[in-house]
């Protein structure tokens, strides 16, 4: 048995065989090319190589900054291969003389070269074949602008192992047969972690090369609570994981009675409990766990899932289905939040040097007004089936909010002119997830109907820590004084203007923080379905006045360590007191 240690990104335990996800291998078809089209094919080859070059450079920079210069240098040999005269000459000759398409010409050239390397009795050359194949696949993807088939889902219940999965990969993977995740990259709020928590399966991320090296079919035990992976576990580990899994089931069953009860404290303060979802299939889970509505629908996943831009009617169909299935409960549609780590080549949101500070969220939507308006029109139309609200991501100031509202007004005018049934007066809210939105919250609150605090990004931007980088994930501290003050300030600004404020970042799923969120005066918590019952239970136990006192004390602490230690101590004392009072849950 071998133990791998990473970051526990989604709690729980699972046991199963490894299913490795690597990008699908592209094998290009050979096609004849007319003489007049030879220059076109040569240009296609140049563009594909340029795209591959750009991608390798970015990856190399990222690896250097996250893993050190040595790791980054590994990819420089791939850059040299892209400039290799032999590869260029042979590929161009095949296009010109044999008149075949560029991708087939290039793949054959690489195949010939790999064959020659393999004939050489030298391990270094053999290793170069892997690099060559990697470069080949990158260039071949460059021909399709990255729009290649997604990962193949497992056919039996499995633990998914990969370097990293993009949101589009996870969307394509779905949820069936997924017992857990083990990833080489990523932190607590990376998207695989969010998906794992939303599916209620364990995840260990930040395994730095060990996950991708696991062999398909190899048995592993995943401890997402402790951040450990046991490879080929011994009998004792199997029994321990089995016991913990059964205990988990018992706890969930015990909490099931809470499903239809409201989150009301003993002194009568109410909190709305909503669910975060990415895909329509999660609606059932949200309802089963007692969600009073959808507090965050990350619509970008619907776009990623299909690899093409859905039409207005396509979107209306999917959105209507979700609104209808929620049976009159509210659904908050967050408009497209691409960019950052949610890259999508077909949408034109490319990888950037500093992606989280780049072209993402509302910036992307305002620059693609037609696409944005289409999505908004679809939401107005779907609202007819129940209750819907609109929310904009990554707002930094009033200009963006006003422009977005202008697009809403245009959307309503067009729908009216077209005679399409729609609900014109949808509440419009914004995510508070940038420090500038916190500082301008009083101004923003005057021109919208609600706030939802996105702590994943807010903590990332406030504490200057990349949420996907395992090296700095230790800086993710929800009780850091700067974060706590931001939360307090946002809630106050909202309430002073008479609007409600919720929180939908991942900190909403941490049971230890439930009392803090309650005491901050939030009106709504939106979290993934699996976490809802436990959070609700805390609120039903905790007098609001007590929660407020907890927050007041935490606001006097000077460091996250101090705040964490105080809270842990406080929770332990309350637990003992409850046990003697005979409260059970
Ligand atoms: C957040 O930033 O907290 C959030 C909820 O949005 P996302 O995780 O999709 O960026
Ligand atoms: Mg966000």
């Amino acid at each position: 048995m071998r133990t791998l240690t990473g970051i526990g990104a989604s709690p729980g335990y699972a046991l199963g065989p490894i299913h490795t996800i690597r990008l699908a291998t592209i094998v290009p078809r050979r096609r004849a090319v007319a003489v007049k089209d030879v220059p076109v094919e040569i240009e296609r080859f140049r563009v594909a190589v340029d795209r591959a070059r750009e991608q390798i450079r970015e990856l190399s920079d990222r690896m250097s900054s996250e893993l050190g210069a040595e790791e980054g240098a590994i990819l420089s040999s791939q850059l040299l291969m892209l400039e290799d005269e032999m590869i260029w000459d042979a590929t161009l000759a095949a296009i010109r003389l044999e008149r075949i398409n560029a991708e087939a010409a290039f793949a054959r050239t690489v195949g010939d070269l790999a064959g020659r390397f393999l004939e050489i009795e030298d391990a270094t050359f053999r290793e170069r074949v892997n690099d060559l194949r990697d470069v080949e696949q990158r260039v071949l993807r460059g021909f399709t602008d990255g729009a290649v088939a997604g990962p193949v889902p497992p056919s039996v219940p499995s633990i998914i192992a990969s370097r990293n999965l993009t949101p589009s990969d996870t969307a394509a993977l779905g949820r069936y047969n997924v017992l857990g995740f083990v990833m080489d990259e990523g932190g607590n709020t990376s998207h695989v972690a969010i998906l794992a928590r939303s599916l209620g399966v364990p995840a260990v991320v930040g395994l730095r090369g060990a996950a991708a090296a696991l062999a398909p079919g190899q048995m592993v035990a995943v401890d997402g609570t402790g951040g450990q992976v046991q490879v080929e576990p011994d009998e004792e580990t199997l029994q321990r994981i089995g016991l913990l899994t059964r205990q988990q089931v018992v706890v969930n069953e015990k909490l099931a009675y809470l499903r239809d009860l409201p989150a009301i404290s003993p002194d009568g303060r109410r909190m709305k409990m909503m669910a975060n979802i990415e895909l329509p299939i999660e609606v059932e889970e949200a309802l089963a766990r007692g969600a009073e509505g959808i507090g965050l629908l990350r619509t970008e996943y619907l776009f990623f899932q299909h690899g093409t831009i859905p039409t207005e009617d396509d979107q209306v169909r999917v959105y209507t289905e979700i609104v209808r299935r929620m049976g009159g409960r509210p659904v908050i549609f967050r408009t497209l939040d691409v960019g950052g780590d949610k890259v999508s080549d077909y949408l034109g949101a490319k990888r950037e040097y500093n992606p989280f500070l780049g072209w993402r969220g509302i910036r992307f939507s305002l620059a693609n007004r037609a696409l944005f308006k289409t999505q908004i029109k679809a939401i107005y139309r779907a609202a007819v089936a129940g209750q819907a609200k609109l929310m904009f991501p990554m707002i930094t100031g009033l200009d963006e909010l006003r422009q977005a509202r202008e697009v809403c007004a245009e959307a309503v005018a067009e729908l009216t002119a077209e005679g399409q049934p729609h609900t014109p007066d949808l509440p419009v809210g914004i995510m508070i997830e940038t420090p500038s939105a916190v500082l301008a919250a009083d101004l923003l609150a005057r021109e919208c109907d609600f706030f939802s605090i996105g702590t994943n990004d807010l903590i990332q931007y406030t504490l200057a820590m990349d949420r996907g980088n395992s090296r700095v994930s230790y800086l993710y501290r929800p009780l850091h004084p700067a974060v706590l003050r931001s939360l307090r300030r946002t809630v106050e600004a909202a309430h002073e203007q008479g609007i409600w404020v919720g929180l939908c970042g991942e900190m909403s799923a941490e049971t230890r923080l439930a009392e803090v969120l309650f005491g901050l005066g939030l009106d709504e918590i939106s979290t993934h379905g699996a976490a809802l019952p436990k959070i609700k239970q805390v609120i039903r136990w905790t007098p609001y006045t007590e929660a407020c006192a907890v927050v007041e004390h935490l606001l006097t602490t000077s460091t996250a360590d101090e705040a964490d230690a105080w809270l842990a101590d406080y929770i332990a004392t309350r637990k003992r007191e409850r046990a003697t009072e005979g409260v059970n849950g």
Side-chain angles (χ1 to χ4, degrees), residues 334 337 360 431 433 457 467:
R334 182 178 72 182
D337 185 21
R360 69 168 289 203
M431 296 280 296
E433 52 184 346
D457 278 314
R467 62 191 267 189

Side-chain angles (χ1 to χ4, degrees), residues 229-244:
V229 182
Q230 322 279 358
V231 184
E232 269 145 22
D234 55 21
E235 193 52 37
E236 193 192 320
T237 310
L238 287 178
Q239 285 191 0
R240 191 173 57 86
I241 296 285
L243 180 70
L244 289 166

